[in-house]
Amino acid sequence: MTYPSNWSIFWKGCVITRHTSANRSPEHHVRVYPQWDRLLGLDIMLQSFKAAKAARLLDDFRSRFRLMGNTYSATIAGNNYIFTMEPQNIKTIFADRFDDFDAGWQRRRAFAPSIGDVLISADGARWHQQRAMLRPAFKKQLFSDYSFYERDIDRLIEQIPHDSSTIDLAPLFYTHALNLASKLLFDESLATLNPDFGTSSDRFVEAFKNVNNGNQRRLRMGRLLPLMLRDRLYEDSCRVVHEYGDIFVQRALEYRQWWNLNALEEPKGGIKPQERYVFLQEIAKNIDDPRELRNHLLGMLLVGSETTASLLSGCFSILSNRPQLWAELHQKAIHIGVPNSDDIRNFDSLNHVINEVLRLYPILPLFSRMANKDTVLPLGGGPNGTSPVFVPKGTLAMVNTHSLHRRADLFGNDADEFKPERWASLKKMDHWTYLPFSGGPRICIGQQYALTEVTYTLIRFLQVFPTITSRDTLGRKGIKPNVLRLLGNEPD
C-alpha cells in the first residue's frame, strides 16, 4: 500500500482545504485559534513540545478550550484540525456520521513499518472485515475464567517487597499486561515477570516499548513525517519485534495446516488444538499470509497491553496518595476470597475508583478522525458556537476526552477533583459525556477485558497489602510514577 507523501499532496492539504473552508457562509465558520504560522502550524508544535517536556501537554490543550470555547480549529504539522469537547459533535463523529470519518492515511503511514494496516489504522470495508474477525477474541466468556489471571498475578505479587521497601510498579504492570495479553493472543505467556525468563523475552519487551514510542512520534509528525530524521532505534526495534512475532506465526500456520487436514496427530512444533479460544490460531484459519498474521498479532498485543498497564498505573498512583481510601477498600476485599464475576461486578466502591481514574486520566485523552468527504458537525459555528460547522474533506477532527471529562457543566464545580463517590449518582449519565474507551462502532474492542483484568488485579493487591504509601519525590501534578511502598503479609 502506498501513502500520499509528495509535496503536491502536502500543499493541497495545506492550502486548498483552507480555501474550500473559507468559501462557506459565516454561520458555518468555526472559531480559529490565533497562530503566526497558519500554513504548517509550527508555532503550536513548538508550544506542545515544550508543554510535553514540562508534563503539562493536556493542560495546554485545556487552556486553548478556555480561550476558544468547546470547538475551534487550528493548524498543526501541516494539517487542518477541528478540536472539540462537545458531546453532540463527538456523537456525530463517532456514530451518527461514522461513515464520514476514517482513521486516516496518516495513521496508516505512521504505523506501517511496525504493524501495517491492522484494526487500529484500517478503514472502510477492510476495517469492518477485521473487526468481525477479531471480535471473538474479546467475548466476555473467554476471559471470565479467572484462573486465566491467577498464575501471572501471583508472579507479579511475588516481585513486590513486603518489608516496606520502595518499588516502582509501572514497569511490572507493563510486563504483567504483556504476559496476559500474550496468553490470550497466542496461548503462551512471555513470562517477563519471572526472574529466570530468557533474554529473548527481555529483548522483546524493551523493543516493544521502543516501537510504541516510535509510532507515537511518527503519528505526531502528521504531514511532516517525510521530514523526520531517520530513527535507527525504531527500525532496529521493529526488526526485533517482527522476529519474535514470526516464531508464533509459524506455529499458528502449522496449526492451520493440521486444522485443514483434520489430522489425528499433533502438528510439528507442538501446536495442539486448544479447548480455550486462542486468537492467533483462530485467525490463522482464515489468513495464510505470515506478514498479515504478524501484523494482527502485534497490533492486538499493543492494544491489549497498553490499555491495562496504563489504567493500573493510574489507579495505584491515585490510591498511593490516599492511604485511608486504600485501607477502606482493603477491609472489603479481604472478605471476598478468590474473586469471581459477581465480586467484580458488585464491588461498587472499587468500580467507582476505576471510573473516576478513567474520567480524570483517560487512557487515550485524544482521539482523531479524518473526514473522508465534506461533512458537517452540529455545533461550534457562528459567533456563539451554536451553529453547524462545515468540515472539509481531509480535516482531522480531534476529540479531547481529557478536557471533556473535566467540564464543570457536566460533572460539577468539583470536576477537577478526585471524588469516586460521584459515581453513585452518575450511573445514568449521557454516554457521550464519558468516553474512556471511545464510542460508536470503533469503541475499544478490548474494554471489558481491560476492566476485568484491572479490577481483578486490584482486588488481589488489596487482599495482600493492607497499606500503601506514595514515595514519589518529583512533586508533579496528576498521574505520577508508581514509586511507592506496599506493606503486607507474604502472599499465599
Side-chain angles (χ1 to χ4, degrees):
M1 180 176 292
T2 59
Y3 308 99
S5 59
N6 59 58
W7 289 108
S8 64
I9 296 294
F10 176 82
W11 290 115
K12 181 179 179 181
C14 291
V15 180
I16 296 179
T17 294
R18 289 160 180 70
H19 176 73
T20 303
S21 179
N23 287 337
R24 294 289 156 174
S25 58
E27 63 268 22
H28 289 292
H29 279 265
V30 65
R31 292 181 180 179
V32 178
Y33 184 76
Q35 297 179 250
W36 56 258
D37 181 10
R38 283 290 294 166
L39 183 63
L40 300 179
L42 297 178
D43 48 353
I44 292 185
M45 290 184 70
L46 292 173
Q47 181 181 343
S48 296
F49 289 148
K50 292 178 181 178
K53 190 174 182 179
R56 55 175 180 82
L57 179 60
L58 295 176
D59 291 334
D60 203 42
F61 278 110
R62 287 189 75 195
S63 68
R64 294 194 197 109
F65 279 117
R66 293 190 191 102
L67 176 67
M68 303 302 299
N70 294 341
T71 302
Y72 69 93
S73 73
T75 302
I76 303 177
N79 288 310
N80 185 35
Y81 280 87
I82 291 181
F83 291 88
T84 189
M85 60 170 181
E86 182 60 60
Q88 289 189 52
N89 285 347
I90 296 170
K91 181 173 181 286
T92 299
I93 296 166
F94 285 167
D96 294 345
R97 291 181 177 264
F98 172 78
D99 291 335
D100 292 359
F101 294 91
D102 292 335
W105 63 266
Q106 293 183 36
R107 187 186 300 184
R108 286 192 292 278
R109 183 177 67 174
F111 293 170
S114 59
I115 58 176
D117 186 12
V118 294
L119 185 67
I120 59 176
S121 58
D123 287 316
R126 180 172 175 81
W127 175 83
H128 284 284
Q129 182 267 333
Q130 291 191 20
R131 181 86 176 192
M133 178 180 66
L134 302 179
R135 189 177 292 112
F138 292 96
K139 286 184 178 179
K140 185 176 180 181
Q141 60 267 32
L142 296 176
F143 47 85
S144 58
D145 176 10
Y146 299 114
S147 61
F148 174 80
Y149 305 102
E150 193 60 30
R151 181 177 178 182
D152 286 279
I153 290 177
D154 284 344
R155 185 180 290 142
L156 171 61
I157 290 175
E158 287 173 2
Q159 308 304 306
I160 312 299
H162 293 250
D163 58 359
S164 77
S165 301
T166 300
I167 186 168
D168 184 358
L169 288 177
L172 293 181
F173 285 152
Y174 186 79
T175 50
H176 171 66
L178 271 177
N179 273 337
L180 288 177
S182 64
K183 285 174 66 175
L184 175 69
L185 296 176
F186 46 85
D187 201 39
E188 185 168 332
S189 172
L190 294 173
T192 48
L193 288 172
N194 188 332
D196 299 323
F197 67 79
T199 56
S200 61
S201 295
D202 189 20
R203 186 164 166 249
F204 171 81
V205 172
E206 188 62 32
F208 199 70
K209 291 179 183 178
N210 294 335
V211 167
N212 184 39
N213 292 335
N215 284 340
Q216 296 307 313
R217 288 194 298 271
R218 291 169 58 85
L219 186 60
R220 285 194 294 268
M221 290 297 293
R223 290 180 180 272
L224 305 183
L225 181 59
L227 302 179
M228 188 175 182
L229 296 176
R230 183 176 182 182
D231 189 341
R232 294 188 181 276
L233 176 62
Y234 176 74
E235 294 175 0
D236 292 342
S237 297
C238 285
R239 193 156 38 246
V240 170
V241 167
H242 289 168
E243 290 172 356
Y244 200 87
D246 286 341
I247 296 172
F248 298 99
V249 167
Q250 182 58 38
R251 295 178 187 176
L253 290 174
E254 290 168 357
Y255 173 81
R256 170 192 168 91
Q257 183 180 23
W258 174 89
W259 183 77
N260 284 336
L261 296 175
N262 197 25
L264 296 178
E265 50 188 66
E266 297 177 6
K268 296 178 181 179
I271 294 294
K272 301 178 182 179
Q274 302 290 329
E275 294 182 2
R276 186 177 64 79
Y277 181 98
V278 179
F279 167 83
L280 193 56
Q281 291 185 2
E282 290 301 315
I283 66 170
K285 294 177 181 177
N286 302 307
I287 300 174
D288 59 2
D289 182 342
R291 183 171 183 174
E292 185 172 358
L293 280 172
R294 185 188 69 200
N295 287 343
H296 282 301
L297 170 65
L298 297 177
M300 297 307 289
L301 192 61
L302 172 67
V303 173
S305 58
E306 287 294 324
T307 302
T308 52
S310 297
L311 181 51
L312 276 171
S313 293
C315 289
F316 274 83
S317 177
I318 290 292
L319 289 171
S320 65
N321 285 281
R322 292 165 178 80
Q324 181 58 40
L325 177 56
W326 179 276
E328 293 171 5
L329 294 171
H330 166 74
Q331 288 301 318
K332 296 177 181 179
I334 58 178
H335 297 293
I336 288 178
V338 178
N340 57 39
S341 57
D342 289 335
D343 297 323
I344 289 176
R345 183 173 57 253
N346 297 326
F347 202 157
D348 288 341
S349 54
L350 181 58
N351 289 326
H352 293 166
V353 166
I354 295 172
N355 287 343
E356 187 72 344
V357 170
L358 284 169
R359 183 184 72 85
L360 287 172
Y361 307 103
I363 298 166
L364 291 174
L366 301 169
F367 293 93
S368 68
R369 299 286 187 270
M370 179 176 283
N372 57 39
K373 63 184 72 171
D374 289 352
T375 187
V376 175
L377 297 180
L379 293 174
N384 298 320
T386 56
S387 299
V389 172
F390 173 66
V391 183
K393 179 180 179 180
T395 300
L396 280 164
M398 182 70 77
V399 172
N400 190 314
T401 56
H402 177 267
S403 296
L404 168 71
H405 292 173
R406 292 166 179 256
R407 281 180 53 171
D409 59 325
L410 299 177
F411 292 95
N413 293 329
D414 58 357
D416 283 327
E417 299 177 29
F418 177 80
K419 288 190 173 181
E421 60 271 17
R422 77 173 76 242
W423 289 95
S425 60
L426 285 178
K427 292 182 179 179
K428 295 183 180 180
M429 67 182 302
D430 181 1
H431 168 70
W432 298 103
T433 63
Y434 176 66
L435 296 163
F437 295 99
S438 186
R442 290 191 88 122
I443 192 169
C444 176
I445 196 172
Q447 63 170 318
Q448 191 57 52
Y449 165 77
L451 289 172
T452 301
E453 179 183 335
V454 167
T455 308
Y456 191 93
T457 302
L458 278 167
I459 291 175
R460 292 289 287 110
F461 266 77
L462 286 163
Q463 290 173 333
V464 174
F465 300 101
T467 64
I468 184 173
T469 305
S470 174
R471 288 189 173 176
D472 171 54
T473 59
L474 297 181
R476 294 186 298 182
K477 293 173 61 179
I479 293 295
K480 305 177 180 65
N482 292 162
V483 180
L484 44 82
R485 175 179 71 115
L486 287 155
L487 182 61
N489 300 319
E490 289 293 330
D492 294 334

